[in-house]
Amino acid sequence: MKKLGLISLAAAVVLSMGTVAFAEEASFTTIAEGKLTVGTSPDFAPYEFYHIDENDNAQLAGFDIALAQRIADDLGLELEVVPIDFGGILTELQSGNIDLGISGFSPTPERAETFDFSDLYYTGGQAFCVSMENKDKFESYDDFAGLSVGAQTGSIQMGLAEENTPDANIVGLNKVTDIVMELLNGTLDGAFIEKVVAEQYAKNYPDLCVLWDVEYDAEGSAIAVKKGNEGLLEAVNGVIAAAIEDGSMSDYIAEAMDLASDEEHTQEISPGEAVEGMTEGATE
Ligand code: ARG
């Protein structure tokens, strides 16, 4: 297994540099021999989401999943993706239950104290969302004082909410899809969501409105690796560089956006369904 990892890393270096380079001795271990176990929170199209296949089975899809598959393939490992609510992924990583967190992670300085992060594989932005019917009601964040503003538990969007709407009733939800649902049914008045994700759900649910962009200074998405696993971090960086260089990363993103926009086969967010983590009394 280590040998395979080495060979592919060398290949990745060659591809990314466009010239022959010597791969350093990069041996890595994974929690299960021959396997790459990846944690992700599939509520985040086009990064990771469920797509319904022709047999009506929900399949994990998205550009993070494609990248995870590429990493596993290049390192000669079998991929196992474990769905985990976003707020729990880093805990599972720290506990040694997964090898990588691939879930649109922003590599913040606080997280970087405890975890290693790969190079960026995607750069996006942040957005603030409301429902279409409310879009003319708000002019600035001040208008959200006393109203309910949502963000995903454990995400940097929680910090954005605290920073920008400190006087709102800030509600943390486990899944971004639940945030979208609650915006649509009026339980939430506003929400902080990654921009490309907000735009994807606004495409799927035209009642959702991306109201304005939100400033954030640690932009971009990276893969979380447990500290002390330098070999794996290096190998992951090699594959990211190769996937960007050979154009696959752009393909993964385009394919994920296509699939996430496939109306017939994208998992419905059904308003009215019981929501885990819903805060009582958070109505307008
Ligand atoms: N980029 C944000 C963060 O790192 C949100 C990521 C959420 N990912 C997800 N799959 N729900 O905190």
Side-chain angles (χ1 to χ4, degrees):
M1 183 192 76
K2 285 187 178 172
K3 201 161 185 205
L4 274 172
L6 238 177
I7 291 164
S8 324
L9 180 63
V13 170
V14 170
L15 278 172
S16 68
M17 312 283 287
T19 168
V20 180
F22 291 102
E24 278 171 33
E25 174 75 25
S27 61
F28 55 81
T29 50
T30 55
I31 56 167
E33 172 99 30
K35 249 194 180 177
L36 183 70
T37 310
V38 170
T40 198
S41 178
D43 51 38
F44 211 57
Y47 283 83
E48 45 262 337
F49 55 97
Y50 285 107
H51 185 256
I52 314 299
D53 70 12
E54 56 283 0
N55 302 319
D56 269 357
N57 294 321
Q59 301 287 357
L60 281 169
F63 63 80
D64 273 354
I65 308 298
L67 179 59
Q69 187 64 59
R70 168 70 178 263
I71 294 169
D73 290 348
D74 282 12
L75 303 184
L77 301 169
E78 187 201 322
L79 178 66
E80 184 177 341
V81 180
V82 188
I84 305 166
D85 278 348
F86 187 73
I89 298 176
L90 290 178
T91 314
E92 296 301 325
L93 186 60
Q94 190 59 17
S95 313
N97 294 328
I98 53 175
D99 294 303
L100 302 174
I102 310 188
S103 201
F105 272 102
S106 310
T108 66
E110 299 76 44
R111 286 175 180 162
E113 282 172 20
T114 318
F115 299 92
D116 283 337
F117 284 95
S118 71
D119 298 333
L120 299 183
Y121 59 86
Y122 182 78
T123 319
Q126 305 300 323
F128 185 74
C129 303
V130 298
S131 74
M132 212 34 119
E133 61 173 328
N134 287 341
K135 83 172 194 323
D136 299 321
K137 273 185 26 190
F138 307 110
E139 266 169 19
S140 77
Y141 287 128
D142 294 343
D143 297 336
F144 288 87
L147 298 187
S148 294
V149 168
Q152 186 168 37
T153 305
S155 73
I156 59 119
Q157 284 77 16
M158 272 315 262
L160 293 177
E162 277 148 22
E163 215 176 284
N164 294 296
T165 53
D167 300 323
N169 164 30
I170 298 171
V171 183
L173 293 179
N174 288 332
K175 293 181 168 63
V176 171
T177 41
D178 290 343
I179 294 175
V180 171
M181 190 204 84
E182 295 205 3
L183 276 174
L184 296 181
N185 71 21
T187 310
L188 287 173
D189 300 293
F192 290 88
I193 303 179
E194 209 105 350
K195 188 157 180 207
V196 67
V197 175
E199 285 171 346
Q200 181 63 57
Y201 288 123
K203 193 167 172 194
N204 298 4
Y205 303 94
D207 291 339
L208 182 72
C209 168
V210 180
L211 194 58
W212 52 61
D213 287 354
V214 181
E215 269 183 51
Y216 181 59
D217 46 15
E219 261 341 321
S221 307
I223 295 176
V225 186
K226 192 174 178 178
K227 271 206 193 298
N229 206 347
E230 265 87 39
L232 185 59
L233 179 66
E234 237 182 86
V236 163
N237 277 334
V239 180
I240 289 175
I244 292 174
E245 180 70 23
D246 69 13
S248 319
M249 197 62 226
S250 314
D251 293 346
Y252 300 156
I253 294 166
E255 281 161 22
M257 286 177 169
D258 261 12
L259 211 56
S261 308
D262 172 6
E263 272 174 38
E264 269 173 65
H265 299 100
T266 300
Q267 179 127 317
E268 271 298 316
I269 301 172
S270 45
E273 204 180 85
V275 179
E276 217 184 300
M278 183 153 99
T279 306
E280 273 193 69
T283 41
E284 5 174 52

